[in-house]
Amino acid sequence: MEAIFKATCDAQEIPGVVLLASNATGDFQYAQAFGVRSLRYPSKPMQLDTTIWLASYTKLMTAVTLLQFVEDDLIRLEDGVTHILCELNDHDILIGFDDVSGEPITKKRTAVITVK
């Protein structure tokens, strides 16, 4: 796997990557950095402590966390989420925008918002 990430960085498909892994007990730990911090400034290598911009990464982390909760039988994919995310109780569903005014067109939610 290291060879793939190194080759991807060398081909400048991505500037750099930091890989971290551990097992639940901490007996196994892996940390490695490849590539550079920026393709604009290739003289600065990626390091384990490099600050990285993670755009749209929260979706992945949320999905992984939710699936771990499902795996541990803490929640089911069919469970409603409004008892956890109370702010969703009062939200309407966006169905479009008015062609003239540009105002949002919404409707009341009729089904339970689930984890799935």
Side-chain angles (χ1 to χ4, degrees):
M1 192 157 103
E2 286 183 356
I4 293 170
F5 281 104
K6 185 171 182 344
T8 303
C9 292
D10 290 346
Q12 297 186 343
E13 293 176 38
I14 59 173
V17 63
V18 174
L19 302 176
L20 303 171
S22 175
N23 64 0
T25 62
D27 297 336
F28 167 79
Q29 293 186 351
Y30 171 85
Q32 190 64 256
F34 300 98
V36 295
R37 295 178 186 195
S38 168
L39 293 177
R40 283 190 196 159
Y41 310 105
S43 63
K44 295 184 177 184
M46 183 69 77
Q47 297 178 346
L48 294 177
D49 63 351
T50 299
T51 302
I52 302 169
W53 177 258
L54 298 174
S56 296
Y57 194 68
T58 56
K59 294 178 205 86
L60 173 63
M61 295 305 292
T62 301
V64 169
T65 301
L66 281 170
L67 290 174
Q68 287 176 335
F69 286 170
V70 170
E71 186 176 65
D72 293 341
D73 289 326
L74 298 172
I75 60 173
R76 296 176 312 131
L77 291 177
E78 298 78 21
D79 288 347
V81 297
T82 53
H83 67 285
I84 300 168
L85 301 168
C86 301
E87 62 272 15
L88 294 179
N89 278 323
D90 299 325
H91 280 270
D92 293 337
I93 306 298
L94 177 67
I95 58 171
F97 293 92
D98 184 272
D99 291 334
V100 177
S101 69
E103 291 294 315
I105 301 170
T106 62
K107 69 176 185 176
K108 294 290 181 197
R109 179 174 47 87
T110 58
V112 175
I113 298 173
T114 64
V115 174
K116 187 171 30 175

